[in-house]
Amino acid sequence: MGNAPSESNMGDRLRCWKCHKVLPPCTSFDDLYKSSDELLDILSLNSSIPLSELSLTQLTADQLGKILSVLDKLLFDEWISALPSLSTLQHTQVFITELCALSLEISEGLSLQIISNHVQSLVETISQSASNVSESFLLTQALYLNLMHFLSDHGSSDTDAVLIAKQWAGEELSTENLFLIEFLSSLTSSLHNTERATEWSDFYKNLGVSLNTNMKKTNASYKDVYESDIVFGTINDFVSDYFQYSREVMETGEIQKHRDVQRARTLSHSANTEDLQEVLAVLCNAVHLHKAEGKWWPRANQMISWCLLAFSDTGKLLEMGTGEGKSCVIAMFAVLRVLRGEKVDVVSSSSVLCQRDAEEWKNFYKYFGVTADTNTNKTEDEDRKECYQKDVVYGTIEAFAADHLRQTFEMKDVRPDRSYQCIIIDEVDSLLLDQGVQLTYLSSPMVSMQHLNVILTMIWSHVRQYGFLSAEHQTFVRGPPASFFKAIFDSIDTEGTEISDPMDILRIAEETETVPKGFTEEIYQSEKDELLRKLKTVSQDAVVNFFQEIEDYILYGFTVYTLDDEGLLCLRKCSPYNNQDIPELKFLVLEEGLCCPLYDSEETLIKPIAELISGKLQYTPCTNNQDKISIPGFLKNLVEKKVSVWVQNAFLAMQLMEGREYVVENNNVCPVDFRSTGIVELNKKWGDGLQQFVEIKHQIKLSTISIVTNYMSNISFFEKYQGKIYGTTGTLGSKTDILFLQDLYPTLSACKMPTFNRKKLFEVKGALKTSDEEWKSEIKRVVMAQISPNSYRGGRAALVICETINKAKEIHEELKSSIPGEIILYCRSDRDSLSKIDKELLPGDVIVATNLAGRGTDIKVSKQVTNNGGLFVILSFLSENTRVELQAFGRTARKGKPGSAQVIISTDHLSQSFRTVSSLEEAKSTRDRVAAEKINHMMNDVTELKLREDLFSEYCKTLQDIHKNTDGDDERAVVAVMNEFWGIWLQTKSEEIDQLKRNELQMSLKDDLSLAKIQTQSRLHHVQVFITTSSLEISL
């Protein structure tokens, strides 16, 4: 039944059998199977060879021939109708693999054990991929056919794989490596053996079953092949034939017959394959006529993608290559769900993209009587309500979640009758992974929070005296400058010393001749202006030397820096101690007798600054102290809990850069999602005082600190669809990413779709530069080389994707005077900006953009650019993960067209932990490790999110009770007071929430809500009594 070798050829092989070195005892057949003798019993019984002689060390050539005959009969006859156990198959695979290794003619000095171990490792890896006994059986059959190759044809001529390997390696491959290559090549061929159909033709013929293969077709048409009952072939051939069939169906006009929308509506509820096939035909017709205007049809891979979504009731995520038409699949699938009577929510990563798709597909939807709208451009509740009455709603996750909160928390009538039936997520990796633990909340302005502004202003006035300086691979926090003797005095512990005043430090400076005799007395008697003038006489070098001298007087080690011409820290002196018991202090020595303390991190400063600010506050009611700021007493717990967080965020605000983390527009600070999408988030504000500190930094109107009273996570919103989550993306992510998603959404499954055309992306070897200037110069050189014509092609167009708005502007400035065509700067996510890049790029044109252009953007190029090699993409920063990088590269080589891409980065732009990398490959490897760790840590964030949402649900029950039992002005008053209480409660319990003290928090919230409700109603009663009494007095 198997591919048995000729008798003479096989006989020669078997006669040579005893000439081989045998395997060492540790890998003998007996050792491998000492725990299970099922296979040995079978071989012994069928070959009439005693069990005691069934050992690789004892088999004769004749015995081996019998064993091979038994294996042939088992694998191609008896076991087909009754599969053995998985264990028996695995033992058989090991046995056959050992025979393959023993068939190799061994030269002196070559270890058969090493070869055997390598081959066994390969087979084990392949075997582990088998998902069931049937697949393991097919592998065992292939291994046997492989063995027959080595016992008959081996050595007669090199396989294609061996020839290529020899040519590539310059004939320097070892016998061991050549054997492994030939083994894998032969095994692959055996797994896809085209002779299988011929071998079994008589067997099937006797049963009246027709048989054929779709491989190596010589006839023009493939249709006759598929008339057979059984068709053997590879997955590539099946998919290729399916594509060909779909083309012919469209070209012959068969699909054009299906235009009955009402019939499609009726059939849409069916799970029958033929019924859904007819629905698909109607959908394809509609796309062709009402979207493509008769110019194109949905491609085969789009139809397959639709089928995968349509046949899934538990959710499906599809990875479709960039440029493969995800929006078409989404629109077609949305119509199917609407025809089934469902409402469909389509979520995108950008308001511009969802508005674009809703507009582009409106005629397609209209053909089916399906209504569609977008929720991102609605500002009035009436407009929102009208939007959610449509069949299909496009929008961002923020807009969907915010409208849900308006309905459930604010009790507004914006989404009253729309249930959560089906959600389709475009760019699903961005929304489920990059923004997976994002919270959306509605702004809750509270007048009482204005009292906190004075505290935030005090914190900023103190923190702004500090700064940040870098030295090689470390960043220090620089303290405020002071005279060198006061800076030292303020930094040391003087307890137990004779030093009690800064002037004592100055006297030591006199003793060491750092300053002249009598200098201390002169300083002591000087006014402030005179003091500064006298300090100017003390040189920088003298102060640096003094830090060495003073180590003889106090038990401290001092490390001293000065600034070089570029403003970077330059080490001048190291601490002489390497002893943890002796403190080390760092200082920056300036000119004119001044210096600043340096701190390893702002963390060491947060507590003392918070204590300093707290000491300047008093809480009412209290005896008034003119030197302190009065704060309402009900805010005391909040301030005491949050003052350290506010100080920390003040330091963070100093480090945030305009044009990187945020932009300032119309006197508003708007965060930027520069790491992922590049979107300017106009409706987002930072919390915990960060927003206010940045506003103070830019001297614009100070907003009131927001207190979060309502929120919804992306995870919680997606869970409302009961597992009916469908999504597409060009980059689904790594195995770690997918496992994370499956942990969050257990019913989801994922599938990677083949591209319609072979992707013609060429990735140029990346470059890692060590300075900002080298980085800009290299980008300019590469761009000019690509867009300029040369001896073998014309000019191309280029896209440079930058990490931040600032960097995009720098590169734009660097290039604009040299670009022969048009240069476009794209940094905003509005319609006007999008229209700039909607034009067709010509040779010599360049777009410089943030990561806005890196996802969901279709960059169009002229036919001339395509003929010259397509769009050239430069990613000028190390992306946060591989998915962002692949999305950027996906802007080129779309729809089977050519294109190329390159990464060019600078170590100057990398975070501190990446600064030591020596190659781009090392940087990417570190990046991928950090990204995987981040995904693993996200589970902790998910646990915290679920706790927060459970607490919020508990509060909403109280809120619903208030709405039910009060009305009118009373209702509004009670709700306002309770919301204020709840917001402050959340803030004061933030530490316990971080520590996941679930039981303690739930009990506390229940008790505190009951008390707050009673106090609120009591306060309201007193107000009503006062108003009634006042009215009576007036009437009298």
Side-chain angles (χ1 to χ4, degrees):
M1 288 288 182
N3 285 352
S6 65
E7 289 186 14
S8 60
N9 204 339
M10 186 171 179
D12 292 339
R13 283 282 178 190
L14 297 181
R15 279 191 291 275
C16 294
W17 189 261
K18 296 298 286 182
C19 300
H20 287 303
K21 298 177 181 177
V22 296
L23 291 174
C26 65
T27 55
S28 70
F29 182 74
D30 307 86
D31 288 342
L32 286 166
Y33 295 101
K34 61 185 177 183
S35 60
S36 175
D37 56 3
E38 182 180 356
L39 178 64
L40 290 173
D41 290 338
I42 294 172
L43 293 178
S44 176
L45 179 64
N46 287 275
S47 65
S48 301
I49 300 174
L51 193 62
S52 59
E53 297 180 16
L54 278 178
S55 170
L56 291 180
T57 60
Q58 298 176 4
L59 284 178
T60 65
D62 291 338
Q63 288 175 328
L64 180 61
K66 292 180 180 180
I67 292 294
L68 293 177
S69 297
V70 171
L71 286 173
D72 191 288
K73 185 176 182 181
L74 290 171
L75 290 170
F76 296 95
D77 188 359
E78 296 180 7
W79 282 355
I80 288 178
S81 57
L83 291 177
S85 66
L86 182 62
S87 174
T88 298
L89 287 173
Q90 290 172 339
H91 294 161
T92 307
Q93 291 166 12
V94 175
F95 182 49
I96 294 174
T97 305
E98 295 288 4
L99 292 178
C100 287
L102 285 169
S103 71
L104 180 65
E105 300 203 11
I106 305 297
S107 58
E108 287 298 322
L110 188 63
S111 170
L112 185 60
Q113 180 182 356
I114 293 175
I115 294 177
S116 176
N117 289 344
H118 282 185
V119 178
Q120 289 290 5
S121 177
L122 288 171
V123 172
E124 182 183 1
T125 301
I126 299 171
S127 180
Q128 287 174 352
S129 68
S131 60
N132 51 45
V133 176
S134 297
E135 289 186 2
S136 186
F137 178 64
L138 291 176
L139 173 62
T140 312
Q141 284 183 316
L143 282 168
Y144 177 81
L145 296 176
N146 205 28
L147 173 61
M148 293 301 99
H149 162 76
F150 278 96
L151 290 176
S152 57
D153 302 328
H154 176 62
S156 60
S157 62
D158 287 335
T159 63
D160 290 342
V162 171
L163 288 171
I164 293 170
K166 282 182 176 181
Q167 184 177 5
W168 180 79
E171 301 289 338
E172 295 180 0
L173 287 171
S174 65
T175 303
E176 174 192 337
N177 287 334
L178 285 172
F179 176 76
L180 292 175
I181 293 169
E182 184 173 359
F183 179 86
L184 280 177
S185 173
S186 175
L187 179 58
T188 303
S189 176
S190 297
L191 283 168
H192 301 297
N193 197 293
T194 58
E195 302 298 326
R196 187 179 300 170
T198 303
E199 293 167 6
W200 287 90
S201 58
D202 292 339
F203 171 76
Y204 286 115
K205 187 175 181 180
N206 292 332
L207 296 176
V209 175
S210 58
L211 183 71
N212 211 330
T213 176
N214 64 6
M215 296 181 288
K216 298 184 179 179
K217 297 183 290 290
T218 56
N219 54 321
S221 174
Y222 58 88
K223 290 184 178 179
D224 293 341
V225 171
Y226 291 98
E227 294 295 325
S228 302
D229 297 313
I230 296 177
V231 177
F232 281 88
T234 66
I235 185 63
N236 288 339
D237 287 295
F238 280 111
V239 172
S240 175
D241 290 345
Y242 184 85
F243 284 178
Q244 178 65 23
Y245 170 72
S246 65
R247 284 197 197 97
E248 290 184 8
V249 166
M250 293 174 185
E251 290 169 0
T252 58
E254 174 66 27
I255 200 169
Q256 298 178 31
K257 300 175 184 177
H258 301 282
R259 299 187 180 183
D260 190 338
V261 173
Q262 189 54 46
R263 179 168 172 77
R265 186 182 300 276
T266 304
L267 296 177
S268 66
H269 297 272
S270 172
N272 182 279
T273 303
E274 291 182 358
D275 291 341
L276 285 178
Q277 185 177 1
E278 189 169 341
V279 174
L280 176 58
V282 176
L283 289 167
C284 290
N285 246 312
V287 171
H288 176 68
L289 295 173
H290 301 284
K291 173 62 174 75
E293 298 177 343
K295 297 176 183 176
W296 51 268
W297 291 85
R299 296 189 292 270
N301 62 330
Q302 290 172 312
M303 290 189 281
I304 295 172
S305 299
W306 182 90
C307 291
L308 288 171
L309 296 175
F311 282 103
S312 173
D313 290 326
T314 58
K316 176 75 73 174
L317 305 182
L318 299 181
E319 180 175 293
M320 298 178 65
T322 51
E324 291 293 316
K326 295 188 289 293
S327 60
C328 178
V329 175
I330 289 172
M332 291 169 64
F333 182 60
V335 168
L336 172 69
R337 303 306 290 226
V338 172
L339 294 179
R340 290 177 176 177
E342 296 179 349
K343 297 292 187 181
V344 178
D345 297 331
V346 181
V347 183
S348 183
S349 59
S350 154
S351 60
V352 172
L353 295 179
C354 61
Q355 289 174 32
R356 178 201 68 185
D357 288 347
E359 179 66 25
E360 287 185 357
W361 288 91
K362 67 179 182 179
N363 290 335
F364 170 76
Y365 287 127
K366 187 177 180 181
Y367 176 74
F368 290 95
V370 172
T371 55
D373 203 349
T374 309
N375 65 11
T376 54
N377 54 358
K378 307 296 184 289
T379 56
E380 301 296 329
D381 290 339
E382 279 300 317
D383 295 332
R384 294 185 180 107
K385 182 177 180 179
E386 184 180 348
C387 172
Y388 284 108
Q389 290 171 347
K390 304 293 174 63
D391 299 314
V392 179
V393 175
Y394 283 81
T396 61
I397 182 62
E398 293 86 0
F400 277 109
D403 289 339
H404 171 81
L405 290 171
R406 289 186 180 98
Q407 179 72 34
T408 58
F409 177 74
E410 293 185 344
M411 302 295 178
K412 293 181 176 179
D413 197 29
V414 296
R415 187 176 172 152
D417 306 318
R418 189 183 188 87
S419 57
Y420 299 89
Q421 295 175 309
C422 176
I423 187 169
I424 308 173
I425 307 172
D426 191 13
E427 305 297 353
V428 68
D429 64 309
S430 176
L431 293 169
L432 294 188
L433 290 168
D434 298 330
Q435 302 173 43
V437 293
Q438 173 181 288
L439 279 174
T440 298
Y441 63 90
L442 300 177
S443 177
S444 303
M446 296 181 185
V447 177
S448 59
M449 295 299 110
Q450 291 180 359
H451 294 286
L452 301 178
N453 285 353
V454 65
I455 301 176
L456 300 181
T457 305
M458 291 168 59
I459 291 172
W460 181 258
S461 65
H462 195 88
V463 169
R464 67 189 295 269
Q465 300 175 60
Y466 295 81
F468 293 88
L469 291 170
S470 295
E472 295 183 345
H473 305 303
Q474 187 174 4
T475 299
F476 295 107
V477 179
R478 171 195 55 75
S483 60
F484 72 92
F485 52 90
K486 187 177 188 307
I488 294 173
F489 177 81
D490 290 341
S491 301
I492 64 175
D493 181 4
T494 58
E495 187 177 348
T497 71
E498 296 180 359
I499 299 173
S500 59
D501 187 270
M503 304 307 287
D504 293 332
I505 302 291
L506 191 55
R507 291 189 184 92
I508 296 174
E510 266 193 54
E511 290 179 24
T512 58
E513 299 182 353
T514 301
V515 296
K517 294 293 183 183
F519 190 84
T520 305
E521 189 63 27
E522 291 177 13
I523 291 292
Y524 190 76
Q525 295 177 359
S526 299
E527 297 294 335
K528 184 176 180 180
D529 291 342
E530 182 66 14
L531 184 149
L532 292 174
R533 187 184 65 78
K534 289 184 178 296
L535 277 175
K536 290 181 180 180
T537 64
V538 184
S539 70
Q540 186 181 59
D541 289 341
V543 176
V544 171
N545 293 333
F546 175 66
F547 277 100
Q548 185 165 343
E549 299 284 354
I550 199 173
E551 287 171 344
D552 294 333
Y553 292 82
I554 55 176
L555 200 56
Y556 281 87
F558 294 96
T559 297
V560 180
Y561 295 86
T562 57
L563 293 176
D564 61 17
D565 294 337
E566 296 180 355
L568 300 176
L569 290 176
C570 177
L571 181 63
R572 294 289 299 275
K573 175 196 173 302
C574 288
S575 169
Y577 305 112
N578 189 19
N579 187 337
Q580 292 184 347
D581 295 330
I582 300 177
E584 179 188 3
L585 297 177
K586 301 180 181 70
F587 283 89
L588 166 65
V589 176
L590 305 172
E591 301 285 353
E592 301 178 350
L594 301 176
C595 67
C596 309
L598 295 177
Y599 306 93
D600 292 332
S601 168
E602 67 270 21
E603 296 295 327
T604 59
L605 297 166
I606 291 172
K607 184 178 179 181
I609 294 176
E611 290 174 348
L612 177 68
I613 298 298
S614 298
K616 296 180 179 181
L617 304 177
Q618 60 183 2
Y619 300 95
T620 60
C622 62
T623 302
N624 190 33
N625 184 336
Q626 296 292 337
D627 296 329
K628 294 190 175 184
I629 303 295
S630 294
I631 302 295
F634 71 91
L635 293 174
K636 182 179 180 181
N637 286 342
L638 174 64
V639 174
E640 290 177 347
K641 284 278 188 178
K642 284 294 182 178
V643 65
S644 295
V645 176
W646 295 336
V647 173
Q648 186 175 25
N649 278 339
F651 277 107
L652 177 58
M654 292 178 63
Q655 297 175 76
L656 297 182
M657 292 175 57
E658 183 180 5
R660 178 182 168 92
E661 287 89 357
Y662 67 93
V663 294
V664 179
E665 295 183 351
N666 301 320
N667 284 331
N668 289 313
V669 174
C670 303
V672 176
D673 179 21
F674 77 96
R675 294 189 182 279
S676 181
T677 62
I679 292 173
V680 178
E681 299 173 304
L682 299 174
N683 297 319
K684 182 176 180 179
K685 286 189 175 183
W686 288 306
D688 282 336
L690 181 58
Q691 183 81 17
Q692 287 68 35
F693 288 129
V694 178
E695 290 168 350
I696 298 172
K697 176 180 175 181
H698 287 278
Q699 299 181 358
I700 60 180
K701 184 180 178 181
L702 187 61
S703 63
T704 301
I705 192 169
S706 59
I707 295 294
V708 176
T709 60
N710 59 89
Y711 44 80
M712 168 163 265
S713 70
N714 291 3
I715 294 170
S716 179
F717 182 78
F718 293 138
E719 285 176 343
K720 289 189 169 297
Y721 293 86
Q722 303 296 318
K724 290 187 178 181
I725 302 172
Y726 302 88
T728 63
T729 181
T731 49
L732 200 49
S734 65
K735 184 177 180 181
T736 303
D737 296 333
I738 294 173
L739 288 175
F740 171 75
L741 290 179
Q742 289 177 338
D743 284 343
L744 283 183
Y745 311 101
T747 61
L748 276 184
S749 59
C751 180
K752 183 174 182 179
M753 298 302 300
T755 57
F756 178 68
N757 286 310
R758 182 176 64 85
K759 198 162 184 70
K760 300 174 184 176
L761 173 68
F762 177 73
E763 183 178 350
V764 179
K765 183 177 174 60
L768 177 69
K769 298 301 176 181
T770 57
S771 73
D772 190 65
E773 289 304 315
E774 286 184 8
W775 170 74
K776 284 191 281 192
S777 177
E778 179 66 7
I779 290 175
K780 184 176 182 179
R781 184 192 69 78
V782 171
V783 167
M784 295 308 300
Q786 293 297 332
I787 66 174
S788 302
N790 57 33
S791 59
Y792 58 87
R793 61 153 175 81
R796 303 168 68 180
L799 167 66
V800 183
I801 301 178
C802 302
E803 185 174 25
T804 68
I805 294 173
N806 288 345
K807 291 300 178 188
K809 289 179 178 178
E810 285 182 32
I811 295 298
H812 180 265
E813 190 67 26
E814 183 81 11
L815 295 176
K816 68 179 184 181
S817 61
S818 305
I819 300 302
E822 183 179 0
I823 183 167
I824 302 167
L825 180 64
Y826 176 50
C827 300
R828 289 297 310 272
S829 54
D830 52 55
R831 282 184 176 271
D832 290 340
S833 299
L834 194 60
S835 64
K836 293 180 183 178
I837 62 168
D838 205 31
K839 57 159 283 188
E840 192 177 78
L841 297 183
L842 302 173
D845 289 347
V846 175
I847 296 176
V848 180
T850 62
N851 213 37
L852 271 176
R855 183 185 284 274
T857 308
D858 188 6
I859 308 292
K860 302 178 182 67
V861 298
S862 68
K863 187 174 181 181
Q864 192 177 359
V865 170
T866 299
N867 293 337
N868 295 339
L871 181 69
F872 190 89
V873 174
I874 295 177
L875 185 63
S876 67
F877 63 96
L878 183 67
S879 59
E880 192 174 27
N881 52 56
T882 305
R883 288 181 290 105
V884 175
E885 181 179 314
L886 293 176
Q887 282 286 349
F889 287 1
R891 298 316 98 200
T892 187
R894 297 164 71 87
K895 303 175 184 177
K897 296 177 181 178
S900 44
Q902 183 179 15
V903 176
I904 302 175
I905 66 174
S906 169
T907 53
D908 279 357
H909 306 155
L910 299 177
S911 61
Q912 206 69 44
S913 57
F914 284 78
R915 292 283 176 88
T916 57
V917 297
S918 57
S919 67
L920 181 59
E921 290 72 23
E922 185 183 353
K924 285 187 176 184
S925 176
T926 305
R927 183 267 314 273
D928 294 342
R929 176 178 52 79
V930 171
E933 291 172 357
K934 181 181 176 182
I935 289 293
N936 291 331
H937 291 154
M938 279 175 68
M939 264 304 176
N940 297 330
D941 296 333
V942 170
T943 306
E944 181 187 325
L945 281 180
K946 289 188 178 296
L947 172 57
R948 285 185 177 275
E949 292 190 318
D950 288 345
L951 295 172
F952 178 53
S953 296
E954 186 66 31
Y955 173 64
C956 284
K957 292 177 185 176
T958 300
L959 208 56
Q960 288 166 3
D961 184 61
I962 293 170
H963 283 291
K964 183 178 179 180
N965 296 309
T966 56
D967 52 34
D969 293 338
D970 290 353
E971 178 184 354
R972 285 189 290 273
V974 173
V975 168
V977 174
M978 289 299 293
N979 281 347
E980 186 173 277
F981 160 79
W982 159 246
I984 294 174
W985 187 92
L986 267 182
Q987 294 286 322
T988 57
K989 297 294 184 180
S990 56
E991 188 175 333
E992 289 87 343
I993 293 173
D994 289 341
Q995 295 169 358
L996 303 177
K997 295 182 178 179
R998 175 177 286 274
N999 293 335
E1000 179 184 320
L1001 285 163
Q1002 289 176 329
M1003 291 177 61
S1004 174
L1005 178 61
K1006 189 174 182 179
D1007 294 341
D1008 293 344
L1009 281 176
S1010 298
L1011 179 60
K1013 189 176 177 183
I1014 293 170
Q1015 290 175 342
T1016 302
Q1017 291 171 340
S1018 174
R1019 190 186 310 174
L1020 183 63
H1021 173 72
H1022 288 310
V1023 171
Q1024 289 172 335
V1025 170
F1026 174 77
I1027 293 172
T1028 303
T1029 304
S1030 300
S1031 299
L1032 288 171
E1033 290 175 353
I1034 292 170
S1035 63
L1036 290 173

